Amino acid sequence: MAVPSFLARERIIAKPGFNRWLIPPAALAVHLCIGQAYATSVYKAALVSHFDSTLTAIGVIFSIAIVMLGLSAAVFGTWVDRNGPRAAMFTAACFWSAGFLVGSLGIATEQLWLVYLGYGVIGGIGLGIGYISPVSTLIKWFPDRPGLATGMAIMGFGGGALIASPLSRQLMNWYDPAYDGTAGTTPSGSSVAGLFLTLGLVYLVFMMFGAFIVRVPADDWKPAGFDPSTVKQKALVTTESVSAANAIKTPQFWLLWTVLFCNVTAGIGILEQASGMIQDFFREGGTSAVAAATAGGFVGLLSLFNMGGRFVWSSTSDFIGRKGIYMVYLGVGLVLYVLLATIGSSAVWLFVVLAAIIISFYGGGFATIPAYLRDLFGTYQVGAIHGRLLTAWAAAGIAGPLIVNGVLDSQGTVGELVAADYRPALFIMVGLLAIGFVANLLVKPVAAKWHEPHATTPATARANPERSTAR
């Protein structure tokens, strides 16, 4: 697929002396916008009421978006690597904004299928392309600290709800004056339609800003004082290159696929149900001790830990290794889920602390996985490999919400659920994390037969992106 000349990679090669620290703001401009996906719980109850539907049916909107994220990242990963981040960010902005506009029309006309199509399918394509658009670029700008680099970019996705949650409440209150989050009232469907319309237009502007300030380094560029040979001294880190076509043939790729699927499934179910979950955990006699506004603040707090975890834990992985940090995400996370299921309802502060740490691990897993891929497969087509691996997120986007919403629908009705109703789902997550922990332990260096010839360069990678040269 050809791109207009003003979006071409050749137009955005940085000139000598360019400051690489100008790239993270471009990445954040995109990821903070598409990170709105984590704020869906703020208006989920309104959509259940507006469409007279169930939690599972409304949760499908989010699941479709995550599925399309994974599929579009896999399909367009090589295209993004070949054409560069500006073309990818521009395309993502168009799809993400259009998804909100079509979704708004579906809510206004009470056509749920239009919301599936808009926010789910169209917006989901924007999610996928936008998510991977800056990742390989940042890794190339920061070869000395790949964990830090991916953390800077992907923390924006985790922090998107920190902005979107309070903004959504304010906009829904503006469009529906009768809505009062502090009183536990439910916003009208028309206010959610207005919210979608507004967010679609606002996000378009900010994402275009990121698209037009991003730059890529010249092929021979490297940071001052950086010696590429030093990466050989680290376990599991290679200086070889593996193509995207060959990467998916290796056991390492599928072990990391399993690791990401398990980590994401465990976290995504909580995030998608966060606002209602904290209210249900402290409900007695039909009344929750946690107000709706407080629950909305909890969503924002989780977003903060999701964002902070992406930066802090991925940066930590530069020192203790990717395999080591995933042992923390999955092993310690498993213990925290057991505590959440058994004693999480004993005190609000304990519930909040446990959930916040769990979500920081969830976010850290996302930010660390591109650096893990770079360690194992090199930088040659790491963006395309990352895109293919995100199909694990697509699968988790179905599994996580279905597990939680399916369990809850079988336990009772919205507004009457209590902590015990969540325990079966939480223990399922414990089992998934145990599987992921074992998969991570099995990761070893990639066999030499999958390596590309040393003559391969970034230029030939763009000219022949799917070349397979296994020996």
Side-chain angles (χ1 to χ4, degrees):
M1 182 170 61
V3 299
S5 60
F6 71 93
L7 297 176
R9 174 187 285 273
E10 291 71 22
R11 297 288 296 272
I12 59 171
I13 297 175
K15 297 179 180 179
F18 181 83
N19 188 342
R20 62 176 175 167
W21 291 99
L22 295 176
I23 301 302
L28 285 171
V30 172
H31 274 238
L32 283 171
C33 292
I34 62 177
Q36 184 277 341
Y38 284 142
T40 57
S41 63
V42 173
Y43 51 77
K44 189 175 181 181
L47 293 182
V48 170
S49 175
H50 180 66
F51 288 106
D52 190 22
S53 189
T54 64
L55 280 172
T56 300
I58 297 303
V60 167
I61 301 170
F62 179 79
S63 293
I64 293 174
I66 299 302
V67 168
M68 293 307 300
L69 184 158
L71 294 179
S72 60
V75 171
F76 292 104
T78 303
W79 179 86
V80 170
D81 264 359
R82 184 170 63 251
N83 291 284
R86 175 176 290 178
M89 291 177 177
F90 181 92
T91 303
C94 293
F95 274 96
W96 184 233
S97 179
F100 273 101
L101 300 183
V102 174
S104 176
L105 178 63
I107 297 169
T109 59
E110 298 187 23
Q111 298 294 315
L112 184 56
W113 70 271
L114 270 178
V115 186
Y116 289 158
L117 173 64
Y119 190 94
V121 177
I122 299 174
I125 294 173
L127 274 175
I129 297 175
Y131 188 86
I132 64 174
S133 59
V135 171
S136 64
T137 300
L138 274 164
I139 287 177
K140 291 169 184 174
W141 275 114
F142 293 86
D144 47 339
R145 295 290 301 278
L148 171 69
T150 54
M152 285 189 293
I154 296 176
M155 74 174 181
F157 192 88
L162 189 63
I163 298 172
S165 293
L167 176 62
S168 295
R169 289 195 301 272
Q170 291 297 323
L171 287 172
M172 288 189 294
N173 180 254
W174 188 44
Y175 287 120
D176 179 13
Y179 167 59
D180 183 0
T182 60
T185 57
T186 301
S188 65
S190 61
S191 70
V192 183
L195 169 68
F196 271 44
L197 177 63
T198 305
L199 291 180
L201 298 176
V202 171
Y203 287 153
L204 179 64
V205 174
F206 278 94
M207 292 175 76
M208 287 300 179
F209 167 77
F212 285 96
I213 67 171
V214 74
R215 296 291 185 272
V216 296
D219 290 344
D220 59 351
W221 179 88
K222 65 179 181 179
F226 173 63
D227 181 3
S229 66
T230 59
V231 300
K232 294 181 180 180
Q233 302 169 7
K234 299 181 180 180
L236 291 180
V237 181
T238 184
T239 55
E240 302 293 337
S241 296
V242 181
S243 70
N246 279 336
I248 61 173
K249 301 174 185 177
T250 66
Q252 286 83 358
F253 177 90
W254 294 106
L255 286 171
L256 290 190
W257 193 99
T258 302
V259 166
L260 186 63
F261 171 79
C262 293
N263 194 54
V264 172
T265 302
I268 209 167
I270 288 183
L271 278 177
E272 193 261 350
Q273 187 61 26
S275 182
M277 185 176 182
I278 190 172
Q279 294 179 80
D280 294 338
F281 256 63
F282 300 96
R283 189 183 305 280
E284 292 184 12
T287 302
S288 176
V290 179
T294 303
F298 173 64
V299 175
L301 180 67
L302 288 187
S303 178
L304 182 63
F305 275 82
N306 190 352
M307 178 175 64
R310 290 167 189 247
F311 181 73
V312 173
W313 296 124
S314 62
S315 297
T316 302
S317 76
D318 283 330
F319 301 98
I320 70 172
R322 322 304 169 196
K323 191 171 185 176
I325 199 69
Y326 269 98
M327 291 175 69
V328 174
Y329 298 154
L330 298 161
V332 178
L334 184 155
V335 174
L336 294 178
Y337 262 99
V338 172
L339 294 176
L340 185 66
T342 54
I343 63 173
S345 60
S346 59
V348 174
W349 70 266
L350 180 61
F351 176 90
V352 171
V353 169
L354 291 173
I357 298 173
I358 286 171
I359 295 306
S360 78
F361 289 165
Y362 166 84
F366 275 118
T368 310
I369 204 69
Y372 210 160
L373 292 172
R374 178 255 170 269
D375 289 351
L376 291 169
F377 301 108
T379 61
Y380 175 43
Q381 290 186 346
V382 67
I385 298 170
H386 184 218
R388 285 159 172 76
L389 193 79
L390 289 181
T391 53
W393 191 358
I398 298 174
L402 278 182
I403 291 170
V404 175
N405 290 323
V407 168
L408 296 183
D409 281 338
S410 69
Q411 297 293 322
T413 59
V414 178
E416 299 177 3
L417 298 170
V418 294
D421 297 325
Y422 285 81
R423 285 177 188 144
L426 293 177
F427 281 117
I428 292 173
M429 303 308 179
V430 169
L432 285 170
L433 289 172
I435 293 172
F437 186 85
V438 173
N440 183 55
L441 287 178
L442 296 175
V443 174
K444 297 179 180 179
V446 175
K449 68 177 182 178
W450 302 115
H451 295 163
E452 291 288 298
H454 287 284
T456 299
T457 65
T460 59
R462 291 193 293 272
N464 193 10
E466 291 292 348
R467 198 174 102 216
S468 176
T469 58
R471 299 192 293 273

